[in-house]
Amino acid sequence: MAHVSRPGAERLVTTLRAIFQNRLRSVVAYGAHVDGDGDSRLSSLAIVSTLTAADLEACARLAQDWHRDGIGTPLLLPEEEFSDSFDAFPLEYGEIMRAHETLFGSDPFADRSIDPADLRRACETQIKSHLVHLREGFIEAGGVPRAIAELVSASAPAFAALLRNLARLDGSREQDRAAATRHGARLAQLSDGVVSDILALERPSAMRTTDAARLFPEYLAAVEQLARFIDTWHA
């Protein structure tokens, strides 16, 4: 897990403290920036005691400055809403828990856990939605290789997230993005070859368009295998 760029993190915290003052409880960074992609925008979650329309207006006035400085719009949550939503967002919170860095205050995920039943149900929804999306997208591509390639490439990050969520369901606490992804692939007994090829597409320049299009049959079969696997999952 990489450390967050300090100038960007400090600017974010400074502006949030100016808006919320003593109502700001915690700020954590997460996402690709924490995973080592220094060129990505800084994603963050800010926990506050209260959140008003005036607070949103103040943040809106800073949005362009944040984006110019490589800072994504922070996710703002009142602390009670945050505490009560782990069952609603087990995948999203789980991904933040996997790799995050506390920029201000205490770690809001310390001593927190996600109910395995909530995680399993969310994994099933995510996997089967992905499968439906691939099938529909292929039909809409009309057999055009470039359109199929775009479908495969655009969905590669979501496929990787599916695998990390399976790893989490298996109890993995692996923080490294690639290692967690591979854990999920092994768990579902997916082919190393197709997993490597699809994951390579997370880097847009990694493969030619025609290569991505040719991957579709194996890719679809891998997601179908994930759907069968999650249907038979037992802790």
Side-chain angles (χ1 to χ4, degrees), residues 165-190:
N165 289 331
L166 284 184
R168 192 170 301 115
L169 186 61
D170 194 45
S172 171
R173 295 184 179 275
E174 178 62 64
Q175 291 186 330
D176 181 77
R177 180 185 179 90
T181 304
R182 293 289 182 184
H183 181 142
R186 289 193 302 271
L187 190 64
Q189 298 183 331
L190 300 186

PDB file of all heavy atoms in Angstrom, residues 165-190:
ATOM      1  N   ASN A 165     -13.579  -8.819  -3.849  1.00  0.00           N
ATOM      2  CA  ASN A 165     -14.691  -9.016  -2.923  1.00  0.00           C
ATOM      3  C   ASN A 165     -14.836 -10.484  -2.537  1.00  0.00           C
ATOM      4  O   ASN A 165     -15.180 -10.800  -1.383  1.00  0.00           O
ATOM      5  CB  ASN A 165     -15.983  -8.493  -3.551  1.00  0.00           C
ATOM      6  CG  ASN A 165     -16.008  -6.987  -3.635  1.00  0.00           C
ATOM      7  OD1 ASN A 165     -15.406  -6.299  -2.814  1.00  0.00           O
ATOM      8  ND2 ASN A 165     -16.688  -6.442  -4.622  1.00  0.00           N
ATOM      9  N   LEU A 166     -14.555 -11.383  -3.475  1.00  0.00           N
ATOM     10  CA  LEU A 166     -14.572 -12.810  -3.130  1.00  0.00           C
ATOM     11  C   LEU A 166     -13.472 -13.123  -2.118  1.00  0.00           C
ATOM     12  O   LEU A 166     -13.687 -13.906  -1.189  1.00  0.00           O
ATOM     13  CB  LEU A 166     -14.375 -13.658  -4.385  1.00  0.00           C
ATOM     14  CG  LEU A 166     -15.564 -13.812  -5.321  1.00  0.00           C
ATOM     15  CD1 LEU A 166     -15.213 -14.770  -6.453  1.00  0.00           C
ATOM     16  CD2 LEU A 166     -16.797 -14.331  -4.575  1.00  0.00           C
ATOM     17  N   ALA A 167     -12.309 -12.528  -2.315  1.00  0.00           N
ATOM     18  CA  ALA A 167     -11.221 -12.740  -1.356  1.00  0.00           C
ATOM     19  C   ALA A 167     -11.631 -12.272   0.033  1.00  0.00           C
ATOM     20  O   ALA A 167     -11.353 -12.935   1.040  1.00  0.00           O
ATOM     21  CB  ALA A 167      -9.965 -12.002  -1.825  1.00  0.00           C
ATOM     22  N   ARG A 168     -12.291 -11.121   0.077  1.00  0.00           N
ATOM     23  CA  ARG A 168     -12.749 -10.585   1.358  1.00  0.00           C
ATOM     24  C   ARG A 168     -13.774 -11.533   1.984  1.00  0.00           C
ATOM     25  O   ARG A 168     -13.777 -11.753   3.202  1.00  0.00           O
ATOM     26  CB  ARG A 168     -13.355  -9.199   1.132  1.00  0.00           C
ATOM     27  CG  ARG A 168     -13.603  -8.415   2.401  1.00  0.00           C
ATOM     28  CD  ARG A 168     -13.964  -6.980   2.071  1.00  0.00           C
ATOM     29  NE  ARG A 168     -12.885  -6.337   1.317  1.00  0.00           N
ATOM     30  CZ  ARG A 168     -12.996  -5.914   0.068  1.00  0.00           C
ATOM     31  NH1 ARG A 168     -14.128  -6.033  -0.584  1.00  0.00           N
ATOM     32  NH2 ARG A 168     -11.973  -5.356  -0.543  1.00  0.00           N
ATOM     33  N   LEU A 169     -14.654 -12.090   1.151  1.00  0.00           N
ATOM     34  CA  LEU A 169     -15.652 -13.035   1.642  1.00  0.00           C
ATOM     35  C   LEU A 169     -14.969 -14.261   2.242  1.00  0.00           C
ATOM     36  O   LEU A 169     -15.477 -14.872   3.185  1.00  0.00           O
ATOM     37  CB  LEU A 169     -16.576 -13.445   0.493  1.00  0.00           C
ATOM     38  CG  LEU A 169     -17.772 -14.330   0.823  1.00  0.00           C
ATOM     39  CD1 LEU A 169     -18.706 -13.632   1.805  1.00  0.00           C
ATOM     40  CD2 LEU A 169     -18.529 -14.702  -0.451  1.00  0.00           C
ATOM     41  N   ASP A 170     -13.808 -14.605   1.714  1.00  0.00           N
ATOM     42  CA  ASP A 170     -13.048 -15.759   2.206  1.00  0.00           C
ATOM     43  C   ASP A 170     -12.239 -15.422   3.453  1.00  0.00           C
ATOM     44  O   ASP A 170     -11.502 -16.255   3.961  1.00  0.00           O
ATOM     45  CB  ASP A 170     -12.114 -16.258   1.091  1.00  0.00           C
ATOM     46  CG  ASP A 170     -11.536 -17.628   1.378  1.00  0.00           C
ATOM     47  OD1 ASP A 170     -12.293 -18.522   1.802  1.00  0.00           O
ATOM     48  OD2 ASP A 170     -10.315 -17.806   1.191  1.00  0.00           O
ATOM     49  N   GLY A 171     -12.353 -14.172   3.915  1.00  0.00           N
ATOM     50  CA  GLY A 171     -11.660 -13.773   5.126  1.00  0.00           C
ATOM     51  C   GLY A 171     -10.303 -13.150   4.895  1.00  0.00           C
ATOM     52  O   GLY A 171      -9.560 -12.898   5.857  1.00  0.00           O
ATOM     53  N   SER A 172      -9.959 -12.876   3.629  1.00  0.00           N
ATOM     54  CA  SER A 172      -8.654 -12.284   3.344  1.00  0.00           C
ATOM     55  C   SER A 172      -8.547 -10.875   3.918  1.00  0.00           C
ATOM     56  O   SER A 172      -9.481 -10.079   3.805  1.00  0.00           O
ATOM     57  CB  SER A 172      -8.425 -12.218   1.825  1.00  0.00           C
ATOM     58  OG  SER A 172      -7.270 -11.468   1.520  1.00  0.00           O
ATOM     59  N   ARG A 173      -7.389 -10.579   4.480  1.00  0.00           N
ATOM     60  CA  ARG A 173      -7.076  -9.233   4.955  1.00  0.00           C
ATOM     61  C   ARG A 173      -5.928  -8.638   4.144  1.00  0.00           C
ATOM     62  O   ARG A 173      -5.280  -7.692   4.576  1.00  0.00           O
ATOM     63  CB  ARG A 173      -6.730  -9.266   6.443  1.00  0.00           C
ATOM     64  CG  ARG A 173      -7.904  -9.681   7.332  1.00  0.00           C
ATOM     65  CD  ARG A 173      -7.533  -9.610   8.796  1.00  0.00           C
ATOM     66  NE  ARG A 173      -8.647  -9.992   9.651  1.00  0.00           N
ATOM     67  CZ  ARG A 173      -9.608  -9.174  10.049  1.00  0.00           C
ATOM     68  NH1 ARG A 173      -9.578  -7.913   9.658  1.00  0.00           N
ATOM     69  NH2 ARG A 173     -10.591  -9.591  10.823  1.00  0.00           N
ATOM     70  N   GLU A 174      -5.709  -9.205   2.972  1.00  0.00           N
ATOM     71  CA  GLU A 174      -4.629  -8.754   2.101  1.00  0.00           C
ATOM     72  C   GLU A 174      -4.868  -7.312   1.671  1.00  0.00           C
ATOM     73  O   GLU A 174      -5.933  -6.970   1.164  1.00  0.00           O
ATOM     74  CB  GLU A 174      -4.559  -9.657   0.857  1.00  0.00           C
ATOM     75  CG  GLU A 174      -3.512  -9.267  -0.147  1.00  0.00           C
ATOM     76  CD  GLU A 174      -2.115  -9.337   0.416  1.00  0.00           C
ATOM     77  OE1 GLU A 174      -1.673 -10.449   0.764  1.00  0.00           O
ATOM     78  OE2 GLU A 174      -1.473  -8.265   0.501  1.00  0.00           O
ATOM     79  N   GLN A 175      -3.886  -6.450   1.889  1.00  0.00           N
ATOM     80  CA  GLN A 175      -4.014  -5.046   1.502  1.00  0.00           C
ATOM     81  C   GLN A 175      -3.574  -4.798   0.063  1.00  0.00           C
ATOM     82  O   GLN A 175      -4.083  -3.898  -0.598  1.00  0.00           O
ATOM     83  CB  GLN A 175      -3.188  -4.161   2.444  1.00  0.00           C
ATOM     84  CG  GLN A 175      -3.734  -4.085   3.861  1.00  0.00           C
ATOM     85  CD  GLN A 175      -2.980  -3.083   4.705  1.00  0.00           C
ATOM     86  OE1 GLN A 175      -1.798  -2.837   4.496  1.00  0.00           O
ATOM     87  NE2 GLN A 175      -3.666  -2.482   5.664  1.00  0.00           N
ATOM     88  N   ASP A 176      -2.615  -5.588  -0.418  1.00  0.00           N
ATOM     89  CA  ASP A 176      -2.117  -5.384  -1.773  1.00  0.00           C
ATOM     90  C   ASP A 176      -3.207  -5.700  -2.793  1.00  0.00           C
ATOM     91  O   ASP A 176      -3.822  -6.772  -2.761  1.00  0.00           O
ATOM     92  CB  ASP A 176      -0.907  -6.278  -2.017  1.00  0.00           C
ATOM     93  CG  ASP A 176      -0.335  -6.091  -3.402  1.00  0.00           C
ATOM     94  OD1 ASP A 176       0.352  -5.083  -3.630  1.00  0.00           O
ATOM     95  OD2 ASP A 176      -0.606  -6.956  -4.265  1.00  0.00           O
ATOM     96  N   ARG A 177      -3.440  -4.758  -3.701  1.00  0.00           N
ATOM     97  CA  ARG A 177      -4.530  -4.869  -4.674  1.00  0.00           C
ATOM     98  C   ARG A 177      -4.390  -6.125  -5.542  1.00  0.00           C
ATOM     99  O   ARG A 177      -5.333  -6.900  -5.690  1.00  0.00           O
ATOM    100  CB  ARG A 177      -4.545  -3.612  -5.546  1.00  0.00           C
ATOM    101  CG  ARG A 177      -5.622  -3.571  -6.612  1.00  0.00           C
ATOM    102  CD  ARG A 177      -5.428  -2.325  -7.472  1.00  0.00           C
ATOM    103  NE  ARG A 177      -6.416  -2.226  -8.520  1.00  0.00           N
ATOM    104  CZ  ARG A 177      -7.587  -1.601  -8.400  1.00  0.00           C
ATOM    105  NH1 ARG A 177      -7.903  -1.033  -7.253  1.00  0.00           N
ATOM    106  NH2 ARG A 177      -8.436  -1.541  -9.409  1.00  0.00           N
ATOM    107  N   ALA A 178      -3.208  -6.330  -6.118  1.00  0.00           N
ATOM    108  CA  ALA A 178      -3.005  -7.465  -7.012  1.00  0.00           C
ATOM    109  C   ALA A 178      -3.123  -8.787  -6.264  1.00  0.00           C
ATOM    110  O   ALA A 178      -3.741  -9.743  -6.763  1.00  0.00           O
ATOM    111  CB  ALA A 178      -1.643  -7.352  -7.690  1.00  0.00           C
ATOM    112  N   ALA A 179      -2.550  -8.860  -5.069  1.00  0.00           N
ATOM    113  CA  ALA A 179      -2.604 -10.104  -4.295  1.00  0.00           C
ATOM    114  C   ALA A 179      -4.036 -10.451  -3.903  1.00  0.00           C
ATOM    115  O   ALA A 179      -4.442 -11.614  -3.956  1.00  0.00           O
ATOM    116  CB  ALA A 179      -1.719  -9.977  -3.051  1.00  0.00           C
ATOM    117  N   ALA A 180      -4.811  -9.446  -3.510  1.00  0.00           N
ATOM    118  CA  ALA A 180      -6.210  -9.691  -3.155  1.00  0.00           C
ATOM    119  C   ALA A 180      -7.007 -10.157  -4.370  1.00  0.00           C
ATOM    120  O   ALA A 180      -7.862 -11.052  -4.276  1.00  0.00           O
ATOM    121  CB  ALA A 180      -6.829  -8.421  -2.569  1.00  0.00           C
ATOM    122  N   THR A 181      -6.726  -9.577  -5.523  1.00  0.00           N
ATOM    123  CA  THR A 181      -7.421  -9.966  -6.744  1.00  0.00           C
ATOM    124  C   THR A 181      -7.100 -11.414  -7.110  1.00  0.00           C
ATOM    125  O   THR A 181      -7.993 -12.193  -7.467  1.00  0.00           O
ATOM    126  CB  THR A 181      -7.020  -9.028  -7.905  1.00  0.00           C
ATOM    127  OG1 THR A 181      -7.292  -7.675  -7.528  1.00  0.00           O
ATOM    128  CG2 THR A 181      -7.808  -9.344  -9.158  1.00  0.00           C
ATOM    129  N   ARG A 182      -5.829 -11.768  -7.031  1.00  0.00           N
ATOM    130  CA  ARG A 182      -5.417 -13.143  -7.344  1.00  0.00           C
ATOM    131  C   ARG A 182      -6.014 -14.151  -6.359  1.00  0.00           C
ATOM    132  O   ARG A 182      -6.344 -15.283  -6.737  1.00  0.00           O
ATOM    133  CB  ARG A 182      -3.886 -13.234  -7.315  1.00  0.00           C
ATOM    134  CG  ARG A 182      -3.195 -12.447  -8.407  1.00  0.00           C
ATOM    135  CD  ARG A 182      -3.398 -13.063  -9.757  1.00  0.00           C
ATOM    136  NE  ARG A 182      -2.702 -12.339 -10.803  1.00  0.00           N
ATOM    137  CZ  ARG A 182      -2.797 -12.638 -12.089  1.00  0.00           C
ATOM    138  NH1 ARG A 182      -3.548 -13.654 -12.474  1.00  0.00           N
ATOM    139  NH2 ARG A 182      -2.150 -11.928 -12.994  1.00  0.00           N
ATOM    140  N   HIS A 183      -6.152 -13.747  -5.115  1.00  0.00           N
ATOM    141  CA  HIS A 183      -6.756 -14.619  -4.107  1.00  0.00           C
ATOM    142  C   HIS A 183      -8.178 -14.996  -4.539  1.00  0.00           C
ATOM    143  O   HIS A 183      -8.569 -16.168  -4.500  1.00  0.00           O
ATOM    144  CB  HIS A 183      -6.777 -13.896  -2.755  1.00  0.00           C
ATOM    145  CG  HIS A 183      -7.350 -14.706  -1.629  1.00  0.00           C
ATOM    146  ND1 HIS A 183      -6.842 -14.667  -0.356  1.00  0.00           N
ATOM    147  CD2 HIS A 183      -8.415 -15.549  -1.564  1.00  0.00           C
ATOM    148  CE1 HIS A 183      -7.548 -15.460   0.442  1.00  0.00           C
ATOM    149  NE2 HIS A 183      -8.516 -16.001  -0.280  1.00  0.00           N
ATOM    150  N   GLY A 184      -8.945 -13.994  -4.942  1.00  0.00           N
ATOM    151  CA  GLY A 184     -10.315 -14.259  -5.381  1.00  0.00           C
ATOM    152  C   GLY A 184     -10.373 -15.153  -6.610  1.00  0.00           C
ATOM    153  O   GLY A 184     -11.246 -16.027  -6.712  1.00  0.00           O
ATOM    154  N   ALA A 185      -9.444 -14.954  -7.534  1.00  0.00           N
ATOM    155  CA  ALA A 185      -9.414 -15.772  -8.748  1.00  0.00           C
ATOM    156  C   ALA A 185      -9.116 -17.233  -8.418  1.00  0.00           C
ATOM    157  O   ALA A 185      -9.740 -18.150  -8.963  1.00  0.00           O
ATOM    158  CB  ALA A 185      -8.379 -15.218  -9.718  1.00  0.00           C
ATOM    159  N   ARG A 186      -8.151 -17.452  -7.535  1.00  0.00           N
ATOM    160  CA  ARG A 186      -7.831 -18.827  -7.135  1.00  0.00           C
ATOM    161  C   ARG A 186      -8.998 -19.474  -6.410  1.00  0.00           C
ATOM    162  O   ARG A 186      -9.289 -20.662  -6.610  1.00  0.00           O
ATOM    163  CB  ARG A 186      -6.591 -18.834  -6.237  1.00  0.00           C
ATOM    164  CG  ARG A 186      -5.290 -18.510  -6.953  1.00  0.00           C
ATOM    165  CD  ARG A 186      -4.089 -18.846  -6.073  1.00  0.00           C
ATOM    166  NE  ARG A 186      -4.126 -18.127  -4.812  1.00  0.00           N
ATOM    167  CZ  ARG A 186      -3.591 -16.927  -4.617  1.00  0.00           C
ATOM    168  NH1 ARG A 186      -3.001 -16.294  -5.621  1.00  0.00           N
ATOM    169  NH2 ARG A 186      -3.645 -16.357  -3.431  1.00  0.00           N
ATOM    170  N   LEU A 187      -9.662 -18.708  -5.581  1.00  0.00           N
ATOM    171  CA  LEU A 187     -10.793 -19.230  -4.813  1.00  0.00           C
ATOM    172  C   LEU A 187     -11.881 -19.760  -5.736  1.00  0.00           C
ATOM    173  O   LEU A 187     -12.462 -20.820  -5.497  1.00  0.00           O
ATOM    174  CB  LEU A 187     -11.358 -18.114  -3.923  1.00  0.00           C
ATOM    175  CG  LEU A 187     -12.389 -18.492  -2.874  1.00  0.00           C
ATOM    176  CD1 LEU A 187     -11.785 -19.415  -1.831  1.00  0.00           C
ATOM    177  CD2 LEU A 187     -12.941 -17.232  -2.205  1.00  0.00           C
ATOM    178  N   ALA A 188     -12.163 -19.027  -6.820  1.00  0.00           N
ATOM    179  CA  ALA A 188     -13.202 -19.434  -7.770  1.00  0.00           C
ATOM    180  C   ALA A 188     -12.679 -20.364  -8.848  1.00  0.00           C
ATOM    181  O   ALA A 188     -13.427 -20.749  -9.745  1.00  0.00           O
ATOM    182  CB  ALA A 188     -13.815 -18.198  -8.419  1.00  0.00           C
ATOM    183  N   GLN A 189     -11.400 -20.711  -8.755  1.00  0.00           N
ATOM    184  CA  GLN A 189     -10.747 -21.635  -9.696  1.00  0.00           C
ATOM    185  C   GLN A 189     -10.846 -21.135 -11.139  1.00  0.00           C
ATOM    186  O   GLN A 189     -11.166 -21.889 -12.062  1.00  0.00           O
ATOM    187  CB  GLN A 189     -11.354 -23.045  -9.564  1.00  0.00           C
ATOM    188  CG  GLN A 189     -11.161 -23.649  -8.181  1.00  0.00           C
ATOM    189  CD  GLN A 189     -11.692 -25.068  -8.066  1.00  0.00           C
ATOM    190  OE1 GLN A 189     -12.633 -25.451  -8.750  1.00  0.00           O
ATOM    191  NE2 GLN A 189     -11.083 -25.853  -7.193  1.00  0.00           N
ATOM    192  N   LEU A 190     -10.535 -19.874 -11.321  1.00  0.00           N
ATOM    193  CA  LEU A 190     -10.525 -19.302 -12.657  1.00  0.00           C
ATOM    194  C   LEU A 190      -9.166 -19.538 -13.311  1.00  0.00           C
ATOM    195  O   LEU A 190      -8.142 -19.641 -12.644  1.00  0.00           O
ATOM    196  CB  LEU A 190     -10.795 -17.800 -12.598  1.00  0.00           C
ATOM    197  CG  LEU A 190     -12.124 -17.353 -11.978  1.00  0.00           C
ATOM    198  CD1 LEU A 190     -12.289 -15.845 -12.136  1.00  0.00           C
ATOM    199  CD2 LEU A 190     -13.300 -18.082 -12.607  1.00  0.00           C
TER     200      LEU A 190
END
